[in-house]
Amino acid sequence: IYSKFYLGEYESALKDLNTYLSRNPKNDESLYNVYIHRAIIFYTLGYYDDALKDINQSLEIKDDDGEAYVHRANINRYLDKIDDCIDDLNTALDLGENHIDIYLSRGLIHAYNQNYELSEQDLDIFLNNNKGIHKDEIQALLKRGISRYNLNKFDLALEDFNELLFKDPSIIEAYRYRAEIYLINGKKQLAKRDLNQALLSNETIPEVYLLRGIVELSLNNFTSAILDFNQFINLVSKGHPDYFHAFHERGIAKFFNEELVDACIDWNYAGENGYSKSIKLIH
């Protein structure tokens, strides 16, 4: 009953598996693989809750197969059950499983927890050993690129973002980080191009406005910079780590735009809230 599964005919395979399950008794050990395969189909089609139910059912029949824990870890990751995901990955490793999806899931969790060195290591293993097309390859490339960016490995990060955007030009975060690398390397126009591309999307990433404001400021486009800083400030809360940074930068743009009173208001506000660059500037 698995031929359609291996041919990627998931909808048809799902019907066959449902028929098989309806005609066989529950808790039969032979049903272990049926539940596993149906869970994989549900997972591939994005039905994560259904996939989790099937994986749990398979583990009630047989609980010493590391592969099942790998699949459940992937599902739990998509359901944002991070602790459960880690537990399943550890169990899979304890059972001797070495599937590359373990490194994928663990690498993505490390990235989420900002453990960038561990994230790069695990995602490197996954991407170097992935054979063929994997549904999470794009996500792995993005997170490895972000990890490398945060480790100051800018050339390697740029390689990841270039490959990623070649494969899928709709990933807005990749434009954002590539723009940051371009800006670090002094390539302001390339940075601006990527940020403009990111802002064509329906997805809103406030940091894109902040970064473009900084680029516009560096290009002496002060009015455009002010508008971008305004957008960022309006989109985020006071608790955002770059909130007062935006006021400081907007103050600089206003100063050079000869809006001196408004510039001082921005610097004073940032300084009163402990932003060190504004405090130093005022002094």
Side-chain angles (χ1 to χ4, degrees), residues 143-174:
K143 296 304 182 182
R144 187 178 70 175
I146 292 173
S147 296
R148 287 173 164 177
Y149 170 84
N150 283 284
L151 293 169
N152 296 327
K153 298 180 179 180
F154 300 123
D155 290 341
L156 288 174
L158 189 60
E159 289 178 10
D160 279 346
F161 296 132
N162 287 340
E163 181 181 351
L164 172 58
L165 289 169
F166 176 78
K167 292 181 175 180
D168 188 344
S170 69
I171 307 299
I172 305 307
E173 254 192 305

Side-chain angles (χ1 to χ4, degrees), residues 182-198:
Y182 283 147
L183 189 57
I184 290 168
N185 292 332
K187 298 178 180 180
K188 299 174 183 178
Q189 293 296 343
L190 289 177
K192 183 176 177 179
R193 183 196 66 186
D194 271 3
L195 295 169
N196 288 339
Q197 185 65 39

Side-chain angles (χ1 to χ4, degrees), residues 120 123-124 127-128 140-148 160:
E120 184 196 19
L123 294 176
D124 211 37
L127 289 166
N128 289 337
L141 269 173
L142 175 64
K143 296 304 182 182
R144 187 178 70 175
I146 292 173
S147 296
R148 287 173 164 177
D160 279 346

